[in-house]
Amino acid sequence: MTSREKVFQAESKAKAADLKHRAIINRVLKQSDDAFRKGKEQFSDLEKARRHAANVKSDTIARLDYYLLEFESNFTKAGGKVIWAENAQQALDAIGEICAGKCASVVVKSKSMVTEEIHLNSFLSERGIDVVETDLGEYIQQLAGEPPYHIVAPSMHKSKEEVARLFHEKLNAPPGLTPEELTLVAREKLRQKFREAEVGITGANFLLADIGGVAITENEGNARLTTSFPRVHIVVTGIEKMLPSVKDLGLFWPLLATHGSGQKIAVYNSVFTGPRKQGEVDGPEEMYVILLDNGRTGILADPVARESLHCIRCGACLNVCPVYKNIGGHTYRATYSGPIGSVITPYLRGMKENKHLSYASSLCGACTEVCPVGINLHGLLLYNRRSAISGHHGSVFEKAAWKGWKMVSSDRRLLDAVGGKTKNFVINRLFSAQWGDHRKLPVFAGKSFSRQWKEKMNQDNAGK
Ligand code: SF4
């Protein structure tokens, strides 16, 4: 067992037994499930929409090299600059250079999981830059010093009382404020930051190749302020966010909104096609798009795993996952949690240290069933398990144990020769740690069915 796996096991065990945590997230997930059920009524044929979206993403990912260049060409023509980053460090260096060039002391950010992936906040803070999250959920997480808990709802695990306490401690707000009052406190603090910031940083929900556009969807309007107040707008995005055409938004925006939050469409939907043009009254003077690889071309090169690049980060697979519902988002200790996180993290951060995430699944298939772009998530988790074994990432002990298991279980004579006591001892030694204290391991009978049957037949024949 790797050290990461040991931590994962210990934290999962503790979290699953935390009834307060479970009550909060189950309440929020129930609300989100109700909203999703209602929201999906807007599709006359949701299955058809999902199939169409899966086909669009599959074709786009298959020709990603072409679309990336088309995007670059169109975005550059409109006055923007594209920066290619092979890894997190290259992306950070590029952002650091832009901020230094503008003598930026305040940077505002709109919610972006990719900037979490590259640990942008700590990088900028170390350079003396005041970096402020402007999405309310992210702002709460930043004040608490915690990473996001969920792809779409970063602070869903916090009760309103906890948030009120946090605002009282960190912002000196009066104690016991209501959610509406807390929102007003955050709004006042953040408006000031929008005015001060020299640079605004966002992610991208979609990249649009045909117009060189960046599509951003949100509910609070903070992304619009992040992109229009500061003089410089930097987009940091994974290369897989590509769609061929702006026309595809007609399908993908409602799909994302419904599966993410149960809405028909999010409140604010914007498309950015470069910096402010002559005669325009708002928008940044400079706009950059950083196209991040950071392990994604490794996924692309794998003909099976590449399906995971279709993901539009709606978070629906987390909401329905029985494992996520019990252990929550932080236990994964990865930027992306839940089923999609378990699938892609081994590719982004190393198979050996993260292969245990492939087992954080009941393989019930609820994630696959809900995914708006039809990713075979539970199939990919099984594929990762196989890849970890064929890539020799298992321990010597594990390999020897499976070899012994295979030898005994494929030979009836050996299976019958080993008594129930020995079988129970071996199973206990091999699996009790993974099985956990709260479940009973199956118990083998003293004699195998085959032996019992033979003995019975012999007795019956002798009695004739
Ligand atoms: S894998 Fe599918 S359900 Fe999960 S976040 Fe991505 S698009 Fe949504």
Side-chain angles (χ1 to χ4, degrees):
M1 220 191 268
T2 63
S3 56
R4 278 181 68 81
E5 185 175 356
K6 278 185 195 149
V7 172
F8 179 73
Q9 295 262 358
E11 291 184 350
S12 302
K13 204 167 148 187
K15 230 9 153 195
D18 181 345
L19 298 183
K20 189 178 157 216
H21 167 264
R22 191 186 302 189
I24 294 174
I25 69 163
N26 281 356
R27 182 172 45 78
V28 180
L29 291 177
K30 164 88 175 57
Q31 283 166 357
S32 118
D33 186 47
D34 292 346
F36 172 61
R37 279 171 201 279
K38 199 159 167 39
K40 72 181 182 182
E41 286 170 9
Q42 72 167 316
F43 293 93
S44 56
D45 189 342
L46 180 59
E47 280 317 301
K48 198 168 172 188
R50 289 174 71 215
R51 270 200 309 279
H52 185 50
N55 286 339
V56 172
K57 281 307 286 186
S58 173
D59 288 348
T60 313
I61 294 298
R63 300 177 63 211
L64 192 55
D65 52 342
Y66 169 81
Y67 287 119
L68 282 167
L69 293 177
E70 188 187 4
F71 171 84
E72 181 184 36
S73 162
N74 289 329
F75 184 69
T76 310
K77 267 188 234 154
K81 188 161 187 254
V82 169
I83 298 168
W84 299 82
E86 267 178 47
N87 50 44
Q89 194 54 51
Q90 286 183 8
L92 291 171
D93 289 344
I95 297 166
E97 206 173 299
I98 297 166
C99 290
K102 299 294 159 197
C103 302
S105 57
V106 179
V107 166
V108 281
K109 270 182 69 202
S110 168
K111 185 179 175 307
S112 153
M113 292 306 287
V114 175
T115 58
E116 291 293 329
E117 181 184 327
I118 63 174
H119 303 295
L120 179 61
N121 287 11
S122 53
F123 174 83
L124 292 176
S125 300
E126 280 161 21
R127 276 150 192 79
I129 296 174
D130 181 16
V131 49
V132 185
E133 296 289 349
T134 63
D135 170 275
L136 183 57
E138 286 284 347
Y139 184 57
I140 292 168
Q141 290 307 96
Q142 189 179 26
L143 287 177
E146 292 174 12
Y149 181 88
H150 184 281
I151 296 176
V152 176
S155 58
M156 67 179 275
H157 62 306
K158 290 201 186 301
S159 65
K160 55 184 191 302
E161 292 77 19
E162 281 175 289
V163 178
R165 262 199 309 280
L166 186 69
F167 273 42
H168 176 58
E169 282 164 24
K170 302 280 177 171
L171 302 175
N172 216 13
L177 293 184
T178 63
E180 291 74 19
E181 289 166 334
L182 292 167
T183 309
L184 287 176
V185 171
R187 180 188 163 107
E188 195 187 316
K189 299 275 177 204
L190 292 174
R191 285 288 156 118
Q192 182 60 29
K193 293 294 176 186
F194 282 124
R195 283 194 287 272
E196 291 169 8
E198 294 90 357
V199 175
I201 300 178
T202 68
N205 292 103
F206 303 106
L207 296 169
L208 309 167
D210 63 341
I211 61 163
V214 176
I216 297 180
T217 182
E218 44 143 357
N219 282 315
E220 297 172 17
N222 59 307
R224 286 197 173 176
L225 295 174
T226 303
T227 54
S228 51
F229 266 86
R231 287 163 52 210
V232 179
H233 174 198
I234 305 173
V235 178
V236 193
T237 175
I239 52 176
E240 79 283 9
K241 294 291 181 76
M242 192 64 70
L243 287 177
S245 168
V246 66
K247 291 180 196 153
D248 294 314
L249 291 177
L251 172 64
F252 280 86
W253 263 344
L255 267 186
L256 176 59
T258 299
H259 287 77
S261 52
Q263 293 165 287
K264 286 187 176 167
I265 192 139
V267 179
Y268 301 96
N269 297 284
S270 313
V271 176
F272 302 91
T273 51
R276 186 195 311 182
K277 316 273 182 314
Q278 216 174 8
E280 289 180 347
V281 291
D282 56 15
E285 291 165 15
E286 294 170 30
M287 183 173 171
Y288 301 85
V289 172
I290 299 180
L291 295 172
L292 180 71
D293 180 341
N294 210 29
R296 288 163 174 79
T297 45
I299 305 181
L300 188 63
D302 186 315
V304 179
R306 73 159 51 172
E307 194 186 344
S308 61
L309 294 177
H310 302 175
C311 175
I312 58 171
R313 305 282 188 262
C314 70
C317 57
L318 284 64
N319 300 348
V320 297
C321 176
V323 175
Y324 186 92
K325 282 180 188 175
N326 277 287
I327 68 171
H330 285 155
T331 314
Y332 292 79
R333 290 198 176 222
T335 308
Y336 308 99
S337 56
I340 184 64
S342 296
V343 168
I344 62 174
T345 303
Y347 294 91
L348 302 181
R349 290 206 187 164
M351 183 61 83
K352 193 174 171 58
E353 300 73 28
N354 296 285
K355 66 181 169 56
H356 60 279
L357 295 176
S358 315
Y359 296 87
S361 168
S362 64
L363 299 179
C364 64
C367 48
T368 302
E369 203 176 307
V370 77
C371 177
V373 285
I375 301 173
N376 179 13
L377 286 155
H378 69 296
L380 290 177
L381 287 169
L382 279 173
Y383 177 72
N384 280 4
R385 293 183 192 181
R386 276 199 297 278
S387 303
I389 299 294
S390 58
H392 304 290
H393 295 303
S395 68
V396 178
F397 173 74
E398 193 184 342
K399 267 188 226 160
W402 283 117
K403 212 171 168 183
W405 178 279
K406 188 178 167 192
M407 197 176 77
V408 175
S409 59
S410 54
D411 186 327
R412 169 51 59 195
R413 277 171 312 161
L414 277 175
L415 211 52
D416 287 349
V418 182
K421 239 179 174 179
T422 315
K423 283 176 190 164
N424 287 325
F425 175 78
V426 173
I427 295 293
N428 251 304
R429 290 297 299 262
L430 288 181
F431 299 112
S432 57
Q434 279 93 340
W435 204 250
D437 300 336
H438 300 287
R439 292 189 295 175
K440 266 190 176 169
L441 277 164
V443 179
F444 284 89
K447 289 177 190 169
S448 71
F449 174 77
S450 149
R451 244 177 92 181
Q452 289 181 48
W453 183 257
K454 257 188 216 153
E455 283 173 11
K456 184 174 181 331
M457 286 296 121
N458 288 343
Q459 275 170 13
D460 288 355
N461 288 338
K464 276 180 190 169

